[in-house]
Amino acid sequence: FEASDGSEHVGVIPMPELETMFANLTRRELPEGDQAICLVRRIRDYLRDECRALMHLDAPAGRLIVVGDLHGHFNDLMHVRHQFGVPSSHNMFLF
């Protein structure tokens, strides 16, 4: 990642440390809490400001079930429906 000013760091995480963090993640080793928070905030800012891929939604009144891409698999959709019920104003789904 490059910061928006062109420098090779993300927030307060220098690039070598960031590369080490990603290498550790591939081995399923989690970063320190402050590093993870910094990284998540920078990615959030990048997605919001540069990619326009992040949007703010008001929290639903009930529960929100986040479902990944089903890739057209109808059986997976039926499993989600069976597991969580039908959509309603108090049982919302985000695909």
Side-chain angles (χ1 to χ4, degrees):
F1 287 91
E2 242 180 55
S4 58
D5 63 1
S7 61
E8 287 198 333
H9 68 280
V10 175
V12 295
I13 305 173
M15 185 55 83
E17 192 172 335
L18 184 63
E19 289 171 352
T20 300
M21 187 187 313
F22 282 130
N24 291 344
L25 284 170
T26 62
R27 292 188 302 272
R28 300 186 185 272
E29 297 172 15
L30 297 178
E32 296 295 322
D34 58 338
Q35 291 176 330
I37 290 170
C38 180
L39 182 61
V40 167
R41 286 180 179 160
R42 288 297 301 202
I43 291 171
R44 176 202 61 201
D45 293 346
Y46 177 79
L47 290 173
R48 182 190 62 222
D49 300 339
E50 303 295 329
C51 296
R52 308 281 190 253
L54 187 67
M55 58 189 301
H56 176 80
L57 299 173
D58 293 329
R63 68 180 181 169
L64 176 67
I65 295 95
V66 179
V67 181
D69 191 345
L70 297 174
H71 298 280
H73 292 268
F74 183 73
N75 288 338
D76 291 344
L77 178 61
M78 292 295 97
H79 174 74
V80 169
R81 183 189 170 278
H82 176 74
Q83 188 76 26
F84 299 103
V86 296
S88 70
S89 61
H90 292 288
N91 194 38
M92 301 184 87
F93 291 78
L94 177 63
F95 290 85

